[in-house]
């Protein structure tokens, strides 16, 4: 599986960005796809994920109400719509995919994209 992420950039606090992650290389059954992020000097943390078959999603508490995850089964592609961005959202965002039991557990994901930088200025 290859994951190609795009959509990062520089935005002012309160602004919005939309990340996309296109998957290729296999068909998707009950996969989870989503996003982790890593800020400088911090551990990589869960952001959001969606279960491919059911569309069930899970969001980290820190981004609830501001970020939305969705998918396009036809492509397949997962999106992260980020609104009301804060400086603390600044990080490299990694797209992930895998046959997971828990959507939030980093080690369960087999496939990682290359990362896309999101920078939020104050």
């Amino acid at each position: 599986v290859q994951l190609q992420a795009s959509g990062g950039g520089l935005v002012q606090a309160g602004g919005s960005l939309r990340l996309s992650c296109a998957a290729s290389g296999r068909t998707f059954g009950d996969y989870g796809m989503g996003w982790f992020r890593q800020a400088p000097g911090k551990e990589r943390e869960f952001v959001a994920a969606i279960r491919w078959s059911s569309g069930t999603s899970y969001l980290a508490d820190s981004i609830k109400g501001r970020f939305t995850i969705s998918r396009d089964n036809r492509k397949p592609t997962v999106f992260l719509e980020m609104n009301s961005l804060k400086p603390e959202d600044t990080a490299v965002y990694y797209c992930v995919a895998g046959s997971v039991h828990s959507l939030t557990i980093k080690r369960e994901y087999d496939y990682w994209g290359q990362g896309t930088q999101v920078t939020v200025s104050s």
Side-chain angles (χ1 to χ4, degrees):
V1 174
Q2 292 79 45
L3 302 175
Q4 183 66 46
S6 61
L10 173 64
V11 65
Q12 289 189 328
S16 299
L17 284 173
R18 188 190 198 209
L19 304 184
S20 300
C21 178
S24 62
R26 62 161 289 160
T27 57
F28 280 70
D30 192 22
Y31 252 50
M33 280 190 71
W35 301 88
F36 282 73
R37 69 185 181 185
Q38 188 166 20
K42 294 188 177 182
E43 292 203 1
R44 200 167 293 187
E45 65 175 3
F46 172 78
V47 177
I50 189 166
R51 197 164 292 281
W52 206 257
S53 56
S54 65
T56 302
S57 62
Y58 194 86
L59 304 173
D61 288 342
S62 60
I63 56 93
K64 282 180 180 177
R66 300 188 296 123
F67 292 11
T68 304
I69 188 168
S70 60
R71 77 196 194 290
D72 183 344
N73 286 356
R74 299 168 296 177
K75 295 186 178 180
T77 302
V78 63
F79 304 98
L80 187 68
E81 190 77 37
M82 305 186 293
N83 299 311
S84 302
L85 282 160
K86 304 176 181 179
E88 50 264 42
D89 295 316
T90 295
V92 176
Y93 284 69
Y94 295 91
C95 177
V96 295
S99 180
V100 300
H101 288 292
S102 171
L103 290 172
T104 67
I105 305 299
K106 183 170 52 179
R107 65 176 180 271
E108 292 203 21
Y109 286 94
D110 301 310
Y111 305 102
W112 291 74
Q114 82 280 12
T116 185
Q117 177 70 47
V118 171
T119 303
V120 185
S121 62
S122 57

